[in-house]
Amino acid sequence: MSYPQDPRPAEANARPIFDVADMLELTIGRGHVERCGPCPVCGGTDRFSINGRKNVFNCRRCGGKGGPLDLVMFVRGVTFPQALDWLCGPRQELSAAEQAARAEKAEENKRRREAEADRHRAEVRRAATVIWGESYRADDTDVVRYLERRGIAPDMMPVMPSALRYQPDARYMVPDGSGWREIYRGPAMVAGVLDRQGWLSAVHRTWIDLSRPKGKLVLPVEGKPGETWPSKKVLGSKKGGAIRLHTPEGADTLIMAEGIETTLSAMVADAVPGAAYWCGVDLGNMAGQRKLGKGLKYAGIPDMDDAEAFLPPEWVRRLIFIQDGDSEPRLTRAKLESGLRRAMALRPGLRGQIVPVAVGQDLNDVLMGVGNE
Ligand SMILES: [Zn+2]
């Protein structure tokens, strides 16, 4: 006798994860896309989040993560078969017609989620394009003075890269229930993130406050003493993209760092004459998806199935990643190695290299001749 495959796991994981969280009676916010709250396992206040669009959960602290079935296992501390029974009931011998109906239902859930994700991507891309269109040339603006504060004096960079622009009244929005709320409005450096094809896919903004030593806005989180909102945010789809700060004719070397300031510091230092300088927006974007699992955390092995990961253009023969010393060094290195290995696998002949910056300092700090703030 043959046992047909149990249809329940696919069905369970196709369920909206918010519904599963409700069944588990989790104390969690009511956001439309992302809901945060205390971790049901390790506590805290907002370290635990559930993303309804990706249908996954994640705890920043204890590392619990996964889809709806994983959530049941995580919260109830049960095995996979027990979680299945809890969520779907015991396995039933279904007729072929019932199985087909269930498979269709699961497929429909998945399609709906993907359509919603596509719609969202198109929407934020449009919003990014509007912001870019409304921003100004950065010459003679607070952007120049902000970069000067970060060690990049105007005479080091007489021509402002066209990838950087200025917005005098950038709105700082935070999630609020199912919508958004403006909590601040002020000057910002706007950087255009271009996708692989060279189209604007996102804007990266740094809110400027020249009364601060590093020139960045410090925005306290209401009701949470000591906590501040990040001074930098990305709107749009940054995946696989880069902020193309400088791309000289005939370049065959691409130098990349996570931050705009670090990339610019390397650029004005003219470390490799004739090289292009692109900012990778963030480490995860430079790394792409990695193979994870037992013993792989620091292995730096790229998941080659990640079709959206950053990939350097065809003209790049030498790819140099700058490793900032101010984040966790082993993990940072593993991520950068993942990105380089993907690039080397997909661009035969390309040489990859990581340039570490002294621990506790980023290149920008080194250039400024100061330590940490
Ligand atoms: Zn946790």
Side-chain angles (χ1 to χ4, degrees), residues 38-43 47-48 58-64 74:
C39 174
V41 171
C42 73
R47 64 179 64 155
F48 182 81
N58 176 55
C59 173
R60 283 204 308 270
R61 179 66 63 86
C62 70
F74 180 69

Side-chain angles (χ1 to χ4, degrees), residues 2-11 80 84 91-95 99-100 102-103:
S2 74
Y3 291 89
Q5 209 195 329
D6 190 348
R8 294 178 304 160
E11 194 188 306
F80 184 81
L84 262 184
R91 181 175 180 177
Q92 292 163 6
E93 290 310 323
L94 298 174
S95 68
Q99 277 193 31
R102 289 201 178 193

Side-chain angles (χ1 to χ4, degrees), residues 6 13 29 38 58 95-97 99 105 120 127 185 194 198 202 204 216 228 247 255 276 278 286 314 336 340:
D6 190 348
N13 280 326
N58 176 55
S95 68
Q99 277 193 31
K105 175 79 185 153
H120 173 75
R185 203 184 272 226
L194 303 191
H204 172 290
K216 285 187 289 194
T228 55
T247 317
I255 300 181
W278 291 9
M286 291 162 77
E314 308 261 4
L336 294 177
L340 286 182

Side-chain angles (χ1 to χ4, degrees), residues 11 26 130 159 213 280 292:
E11 194 188 306
L26 297 188
V130 168
V159 181
L292 291 174

